[in-house]
Amino acid sequence: MSEAVRELGEAIGYFTRQTRIMDGLAVACGQGNRRLRAWDGRDMGEKTVFDLASVTKIFTGLCLMRLWEKGRLDPRRRVREYCPEFRRLGPVTVEQLMAFQVQLKTPERIDRQASREQALFCLRETETVGAPGRRAYSDIPAMILKYVIERTAERSLADCVKELVTAPAEMENTWAAVPENRRADCLLYGPEYRIEGEDWICRSDPARGIPHDPKAAILQGDTGDLCGHAGLFSTLEDMERLARALLAGRLLKPEGLAQMAVNRTGRMLPDGSYTQYLGYCCYRRHPDQYYSEIPAHMSDAAFGIGGFTGNHFSVDPGTGRYTVMLGNRVRDRLTVLLPPEGRRREDYGLRADGTGEIRWRDGTVHPSSVNYVHQKDEHLHAVIARMLTREEGE
């Protein structure tokens, strides 16, 4: 085992063994000809299939960018010109959805509908409710952009992803519908524990290959009809192939990659804080690293995104670096803690940073992955930066 792989393994162990934030975690990173991979935890291996969750949005964004490059899509046109069924969106353009520049609202929560048909009706009734505030990120734009892509390309989003992204990137193990012979390689993401106010919620274990995201679960389920915001499954090797294909210019021209990372939403507020910094279907660097999805060692050309199940994907055309983090921070973990007013994490037995264990009302004890995104910089990205910088100087 090389020193670098050992060091990466120790960083992963912080999440899987020291704090038990993750049930399992696999990481790939690299720059140029250098590449490192390691993993640890339950059900982790070369063939492990991960629920990408919101990392799916990168694929939706890449499909839009490729159709734009081919002259088949004009982002300046209104969404209704492509999809008239979204009648309440008025003058909203495709680009505004790509850039999270409008605040959208459905008449009822999509994930609380009794059927797929009712959920689709709610989505079609989406309306604008003004400009976004401090938090611009939302699933709804990508959910609608799915239909823009399908109308433009005259095929399903899943087929577009295959033709425009996974095939040219030589990704053979990325699917909306996981093949039956690979279902056993899919991670289990339950049971999951949440505390929301006074409600203590235990979500049951979704079947292997069914999206963990509740909106994708009802709209996509096991149909393979890929949602735009979540629903793809992939392996560590395939996601590394995606990163390297992007950096090699095999998916988008350099100007297209540069456009994805342009800040479309970020600004300073009167109190000196900032809104979210978002590009096309992705995050870009935030002025305050605490709120940045982009690793500190990457340049302003970088873009990326995270996923609720425990994922991170970022590429930096400026330095040629990439990081892929695929994990399971859901299974048998407390994932959400929204205490009632006047209570703190420490009142539930957790540390201020969200790590620790929670004693459930039935007496069982479960590790916490609350606030896990803020552990990545110090305990993973900083380690990767040291390794890549050290190897670059060798």
Side-chain angles (χ1 to χ4, degrees):
M1 179 185 297
S2 71
E3 179 63 21
V5 171
R6 183 195 63 77
E7 192 172 351
L8 181 58
E10 288 181 354
I12 291 172
Y14 170 82
F15 294 90
T16 58
R17 298 173 185 269
Q18 184 176 337
T19 62
R20 298 179 66 205
I21 290 171
M22 298 277 192
D23 192 51
L25 176 61
V27 175
C29 59
Q31 181 178 25
N33 293 326
R34 300 185 303 279
R35 53 186 295 188
L36 295 167
R37 285 194 290 173
W39 53 79
D40 182 60
R42 185 161 42 170
D43 300 328
M44 292 290 116
E46 290 277 4
K47 296 181 65 178
T48 302
V49 177
F50 298 85
D51 181 341
L52 295 184
S54 284
V55 176
T56 299
K57 293 182 180 72
I58 284 286
F59 293 80
T60 300
L62 290 173
C63 286
L64 290 160
M65 297 299 293
R66 295 213 67 192
L67 290 169
W68 189 2
E69 280 190 349
K70 292 173 179 288
R72 299 176 63 182
L73 173 72
D74 183 355
R76 295 164 296 186
R77 291 176 60 183
R78 297 181 180 185
V79 173
R80 291 180 59 199
E81 294 181 56
Y82 293 101
C83 302
E85 66 269 29
F86 290 97
R87 58 191 180 89
R88 296 184 182 274
L89 291 186
V92 174
T93 67
V94 173
E95 184 174 23
Q96 284 178 299
L97 293 191
M98 292 170 63
F100 304 94
Q101 290 176 338
V102 290
Q103 187 176 2
L104 304 174
K105 183 179 180 180
T106 55
E108 297 179 12
R109 287 186 61 98
I110 289 173
D111 55 358
R112 292 181 181 171
Q113 300 308 299
S115 67
R116 182 173 188 269
E117 290 70 28
Q118 289 174 296
L120 285 170
F121 175 81
C122 274
L123 181 61
R124 288 193 293 266
E125 291 296 298
T126 299
E127 61 182 348
T128 59
V129 288
R134 186 183 300 272
R135 179 179 172 83
Y137 181 85
S138 167
D139 287 339
I140 304 300
M143 297 175 75
I144 296 172
L145 288 168
K146 159 191 167 70
Y147 299 99
V148 173
I149 292 170
E150 292 182 340
R151 299 292 169 79
T152 303
E154 298 181 328
R155 63 191 65 196
S156 71
L157 176 58
D159 286 343
C160 285
V161 166
K162 182 175 182 178
E163 176 188 343
L164 301 175
V165 183
T166 62
E170 300 179 347
M171 301 167 68
E172 298 179 352
N173 296 286
T174 301
W175 315 275
V178 181
E180 189 63 36
N181 66 343
R182 295 300 304 277
R183 288 289 179 98
D185 296 320
C186 292
L187 290 178
L188 291 170
Y189 290 96
E192 174 192 1
Y193 299 88
R194 299 174 174 229
I195 298 176
E196 300 177 6
E198 299 293 348
D199 297 326
W200 290 50
I201 303 163
C202 178
R203 288 188 62 190
S204 60
D205 183 12
R208 295 182 192 267
I210 301 298
H212 170 271
D213 178 89
K215 296 184 290 295
I218 190 170
L219 288 170
Q220 178 176 325
D222 62 356
T223 67
D225 183 18
L226 178 62
C227 291
H229 73 294
L232 278 177
F233 294 80
S234 189
T235 63
L236 182 66
E237 181 178 4
D238 257 23
M239 292 305 293
E240 186 175 21
R241 286 175 181 268
L242 175 62
R244 297 179 75 88
L246 283 167
L247 293 172
R250 289 194 281 121
L251 296 182
L252 287 178
K253 297 175 183 177
E255 52 268 32
L257 279 180
Q259 283 298 308
M260 287 193 74
V262 171
N263 170 39
R264 312 280 174 179
T265 60
R267 67 187 190 281
M268 180 183 285
L269 295 172
D271 63 2
S273 62
Y274 296 88
T275 61
Q276 288 180 316
Y277 276 56
L278 299 165
Y280 285 149
C281 297
C282 63
Y283 285 85
R284 59 97 63 205
R285 179 175 298 287
H286 193 281
D288 185 342
Q289 185 59 34
Y290 182 82
Y291 295 106
S292 185
E293 186 63 34
I294 308 303
H297 64 88
M298 291 188 175
S299 75
D300 285 340
F303 63 91
I305 199 164
F308 183 88
T309 48
N311 307 324
H312 165 90
F313 177 87
S314 57
V315 294
D316 182 5
T319 63
R321 294 181 175 183
Y322 64 87
T323 297
V324 179
M325 169 181 172
L326 300 177
N328 186 351
R329 70 106 174 179
V330 178
R331 187 177 183 182
D332 197 34
R333 264 108 184 121
L334 178 73
T335 61
V336 174
L337 174 57
L338 302 174
E341 186 175 354
R343 301 203 69 186
R344 306 174 304 157
R345 292 171 183 159
E346 293 88 335
D347 296 327
Y348 295 84
L350 303 184
R351 303 178 187 93
D353 65 2
T355 59
E357 294 180 329
I358 184 83
R359 181 172 296 277
W360 207 246
R361 286 176 169 172
D362 62 3
T364 57
V365 177
H366 308 281
S368 166
S369 64
V370 170
N371 215 36
Y372 90 101
V373 294
H374 298 302
Q375 304 288 333
K376 294 186 296 184
D377 271 331
E378 178 181 355
H379 298 285
L380 182 63
H381 294 319
V383 175
I384 290 172
R386 288 196 299 270
M387 290 189 300
L388 294 179
T389 301
R390 184 172 62 238
E391 292 194 12
E392 187 176 30
E394 292 175 353

